[in-house]
Amino acid sequence: MLFLKRYKKYEHPYITASIIILIFLVFLSLFAPVLTDYSPVRNNARNRLQPPSREHLLGTDQFGRDIFTRILYGIRTSMQVGLAVVLLTVIFGGVVGVAAGYYSQIDRVVMRILDAMMAFPGIIIAISLAAIWGAGKLNIILALSFAYFPKMARIVRSSVISIKDLDYVDSARAAGAKDSRIIVKYILKNSASPIMVQATFNFALAILDEAALSFLGVGIMPPAPSLGAMVTDARTYMVVAPWMILAPGIMIVLAVLSLNLLGDGLRDLLDPHLKNTFQK
Amino acid sequence: MRNYIIKRILLLIPIIFIVAVIAFFITNLMPGDPVRVILGNMATESEVARLEQTLGLDQPLIVRFFRWLANIMRGDFGDSLYLNAPVAEVLIKRLRPTFLIAILAEILGIAGGMLLGILAAVKHRKFLDQFSITLSLFGISIPSFWLALMLMYLFSVRLGWFPVSGYEPFAEAGFGTLRYIILPAVTLAFMQAGLIARMTRSAMLDTLKQDYIRTAKSKGLSTKSIVFKHALKNSMMPVITVIGHNFAVLLGGTWIVETIFVIPGTGFMAINAIMRRDIPVIQASIIFVAVIYIILNLFVDLSYAFLNPKIRYN
């Protein structure tokens, strides 16, 4: 793979660091049930609003639930939402982008629609859609995917346009290759880099926006654990229980930061033509 | 140039039409029947039918859409279901706090972001570069709602420098208004500064590699004059684009920070309207944000054409 080859060639501390953090977070979310004995949702009235201690590493919330446990399950929710949004965005954006880029007859119409969709900030589309469909994991996954796919479609489209008239595609066409074969084998394969970079940034954005939606009460429904909803709870008890607010926020920052770092690194690594962030 | 401007403005018509389509259909798919909301649970079937007829809700969706579109073209967004006033009037009344926050945030973001970006490019691969990369990465990775609460906890609850929440209009409080909007603006500025710093840095690095910069250097010009007189101007185009594109993110952010700091602006109004299914207000708020974004980006594109004649003739 190109990625691994280049990765070996240029030592890249940013990518390494971000991958280590991400593996750590995936580990936490996968092994949440093993790492903690507490339940993320069961109330324990006697332990309300306990400050951090040996039994409760990060303290407890207003229902006596262990915050460390809620964080582990919360990061699990973030990862699930992020991954699902990335998959759906790549699929929708890929199909629309290839259609617009490859078939120039529909390009204009599709582009106008995408332009209009991009006039709405993603978070506003997502809030409105989540309000229509109701809160819940599946609905916010769909809402965020809907909000992000226009940008992905544009990126795929411009990549397809830059590739489709290259000589090797023309020669494939001359040799009698069908559209489907040209698209999959010659065009998509060579558009993988910008798609991967954008997908990484979308992953980060999805975690950020899922937290914001849950914070506003239109995302993950309580008592299901979500980092954003934990911040909402913490806000109410900010003065009496300040420990509640730090941990979920830091966890979000850690996840988003490492994904953005990975995105920057991938962009530098995979596409020498793009604006480099770290290396020049 | 004039033809180019006219062409660009004509291109906006289909986009604004599609924006209206999206805003209408998103809001009309919302669950909850506005008629039932207005009349309450005790209403009889005939009362419901009568109000539906007055509001035109018995018509097919497509007829309602064009009727609604004709109305908003005249600036009539209908009446709010809760505030008992025309939506356009309410929206205009609430513009000021939102604009104050957005403009202050944009100024802080541009100042901070460009400063960081220039420093990073000039001190390429030195400590200041690393520092500014890290800081701007944090800027784009911190959730605004959490940052808002942390700032609130530190500066309002602990230090007591600013009010925890609320708002007083400029007419009553004078410059005291700033005390209410400074924390929301700083929250939003953080992300803008991060985005702008990253773009400024890479655009500056590109420019500093150009031949004419080397010429300026060999002429013996000082670093200061090279950076500010020669390099900065030519690095501005991508930076302006980032500012234009991310103004939508900024406006989306006002929805969240206004809700947290309880500031009666358009964002707070929009979130409340969504929670209460106040459909005319939601429609107007969504269209408002989109149209501002579209107009701003028209100006960005026009400034391109102004700065670079090549674009005009394409």
Side-chain angles (χ1 to χ4, degrees):
Chain A
M1 258 178 80
L2 180 72
F3 168 67
L4 283 179
K5 239 186 264 164
R6 291 235 181 106
Y7 181 70
K8 272 185 201 148
K9 201 165 149 198
Y10 307 99
E11 297 230 329
H12 216 300
Y14 297 100
I15 295 192
T16 317
S18 57
I19 288 178
I20 290 174
I21 302 177
L22 284 173
I23 290 176
F24 173 66
L25 293 178
V26 170
F27 171 81
L28 287 188
S29 61
L30 281 180
F31 293 98
V34 187
L35 292 168
T36 170
D37 298 331
Y38 299 102
S39 150
V41 290
R42 197 179 304 131
N43 297 354
N44 183 349
R46 271 192 320 171
N47 277 336
R48 292 183 76 240
L49 299 176
Q50 299 280 320
S53 63
R54 190 172 289 180
E55 293 88 65
H56 299 286
L57 284 176
L58 298 171
T60 62
D61 67 4
Q62 76 276 25
F63 296 116
R65 297 172 299 197
D66 180 50
I67 290 179
F68 178 69
T69 306
R70 304 245 325 143
I71 296 260
L72 293 184
Y73 283 93
I75 198 79
R76 190 181 228 192
T77 310
S78 301
M79 290 285 174
Q80 285 168 343
V81 171
L83 204 60
V85 169
V86 163
L87 283 177
L88 288 179
T89 316
V90 169
I91 294 171
F92 288 150
V95 169
V96 174
V98 166
Y102 196 75
Y103 301 103
S104 41
Q105 306 93 309
I106 60 166
D107 187 31
R108 267 204 159 179
V109 178
V110 174
M111 282 310 287
R112 283 295 98 71
I113 296 175
L114 292 181
D115 278 346
M117 290 183 70
M118 284 177 65
F120 301 102
I123 184 88
I124 282 180
I125 288 220
I127 292 174
S128 311
L129 287 177
I132 299 173
W133 295 330
K137 204 187 280 177
L138 183 63
N139 288 348
I140 60 166
I141 288 173
L142 291 174
L144 290 175
S145 311
F146 188 79
Y148 299 159
F149 94 87
K151 188 153 193 202
M152 180 64 93
R154 285 184 75 134
I155 287 169
V156 174
R157 169 189 172 269
S158 60
S159 172
V160 169
I161 286 180
S162 71
I163 294 171
K164 75 168 178 185
D165 291 324
L166 293 182
D167 286 345
Y168 74 91
V169 179
D170 277 343
S171 60
R173 209 172 281 133
K178 277 193 228 131
D179 276 2
S180 55
R181 185 180 160 87
I182 291 176
I183 288 172
V184 174
K185 191 134 192 240
Y186 298 98
I187 295 184
L188 274 187
K189 222 172 156 187
N190 288 295
S191 315
S193 308
I195 296 177
M196 248 167 88
V197 172
Q198 181 62 22
T200 313
F201 287 128
N202 274 348
F203 203 139
L205 211 55
I207 291 180
L208 217 47
D209 285 349
E210 177 269 309
L213 291 180
S214 303
F215 173 78
L216 290 171
V218 292
I220 304 290
M221 279 314 269
S226 152
L227 298 174
M230 290 179 72
V231 178
T232 315
D233 293 343
R235 180 191 179 188
T236 318
Y237 299 92
M238 194 153 79
V239 181
V240 287
W243 59 85
M244 280 172 69
I245 200 167
L246 264 179
I250 290 174
M251 220 51 191
I252 300 171
V253 174
L254 204 61
V256 176
L257 193 81
S258 55
L259 282 163
N260 279 331
L261 207 56
L262 183 65
D264 282 341
L266 283 178
R267 184 168 50 186
D268 288 2
L269 208 63
L270 295 173
D271 202 339
H273 304 299
L274 285 173
K275 293 271 178 317
N276 287 358
T277 312
F278 296 123
Q279 300 197 325
K280 264 270 139 110
Chain B
M1 188 71 189
R2 202 177 65 205
N3 286 344
Y4 180 77
I5 294 178
I6 293 171
K7 205 177 94 189
R8 289 305 317 246
I9 291 175
L10 287 179
L11 265 178
L12 292 188
I13 294 172
I15 292 185
I16 290 184
F17 177 75
I18 301 167
V19 161
V21 172
I22 296 172
F24 182 82
F25 285 96
I26 280 186
T27 46
N28 275 287
L29 294 170
M30 286 213 174
D33 184 350
V35 174
R36 299 260 176 208
V37 170
I38 297 170
L39 292 175
N41 290 330
M42 304 295 281
T44 62
E45 283 305 311
S46 68
E47 278 175 322
V48 170
R50 209 176 317 135
L51 188 62
E52 266 182 357
Q53 208 172 6
T54 358
L55 293 176
L57 291 176
D58 53 342
Q59 302 286 326
L61 204 58
I62 196 82
V63 175
R64 278 162 54 200
F65 170 69
F66 282 104
R67 201 174 276 170
W68 172 81
L69 190 66
N71 282 337
I72 63 168
M73 300 280 238
R74 290 189 298 250
D76 176 10
F77 284 89
D79 289 345
S80 159
L81 304 179
Y82 285 87
L83 307 168
N84 284 323
V87 174
E89 213 173 87
V90 181
L91 189 73
I92 288 169
K93 240 186 244 164
R94 298 199 168 213
L95 277 182
R96 198 166 287 169
T98 305
F99 269 127
L100 280 178
I101 292 175
I103 290 170
L104 186 60
E106 195 67 274
I107 292 172
L108 292 174
I110 291 173
M114 289 196 32
L115 192 73
L116 272 182
I118 293 170
L119 271 180
V122 173
K123 302 280 174 198
H124 187 37
R125 290 194 175 152
K126 304 252 172 60
F127 170 75
L128 264 176
D129 188 16
Q130 301 292 331
F131 174 78
S132 113
I133 289 179
T134 314
L135 202 62
S136 53
L137 203 59
F138 268 99
I140 61 166
S141 304
I142 296 183
S144 57
F145 63 91
W146 186 68
L147 181 62
L149 289 173
M150 299 299 284
L151 291 175
M152 188 196 264
Y153 182 72
L154 182 63
F155 291 106
S156 304
V157 176
R158 286 272 137 180
L159 297 171
W161 291 359
F162 304 107
V164 174
S165 62
Y167 181 74
E168 275 181 277
F170 191 72
E172 286 163 31
F175 285 102
T177 306
L178 273 180
R179 292 174 8 102
Y180 294 95
I181 63 167
I182 218 150
L183 288 185
V186 167
T187 306
L188 295 178
F190 217 72
M191 175 169 239
Q192 295 294 319
L195 292 161
I196 294 168
R198 285 155 62 95
M199 190 45 87
T200 309
R201 176 180 178 273
S202 73
M204 278 293 271
L205 284 178
D206 274 348
T207 316
L208 289 176
K209 278 195 310 200
Q210 304 285 323
D211 286 344
Y212 72 88
I213 296 291
R214 201 178 44 207
T215 311
K217 236 182 249 168
S218 54
K219 248 177 23 178
L221 291 184
S222 68
T223 313
K224 203 165 103 194
S225 117
I226 291 175
V227 168
F228 288 100
K229 271 206 177 135
H230 299 263
L232 190 58
K233 249 186 231 163
N234 290 292
S235 316
M236 280 314 289
M237 286 234 300
V239 178
I240 290 175
T241 318
V242 166
I243 294 171
H245 280 190
N246 286 295
F247 198 72
V249 177
L250 184 62
L251 282 178
T254 60
W255 286 33
I256 290 172
V257 294
E258 282 178 11
T259 309
I260 292 175
F261 288 100
V262 198
I263 288 169
T266 53
F268 185 49
M269 176 181 77
I271 294 280
N272 273 335
I274 283 178
M275 300 302 167
R276 294 191 297 214
R277 307 267 180 278
D278 192 345
I279 290 176
V281 176
I282 304 174
Q283 288 168 335
S285 311
I286 296 179
I287 290 178
F288 166 72
V289 171
V291 167
I292 297 229
Y293 172 83
I294 289 170
I295 293 174
L296 201 78
N297 280 286
L298 174 71
F299 281 119
V300 168
D301 284 358
L302 292 183
S303 73
Y304 263 33
F306 185 70
L307 294 172
N308 183 357
K310 257 197 246 163
I311 295 170
R312 258 175 272 165
Y313 300 111
N314 247 330

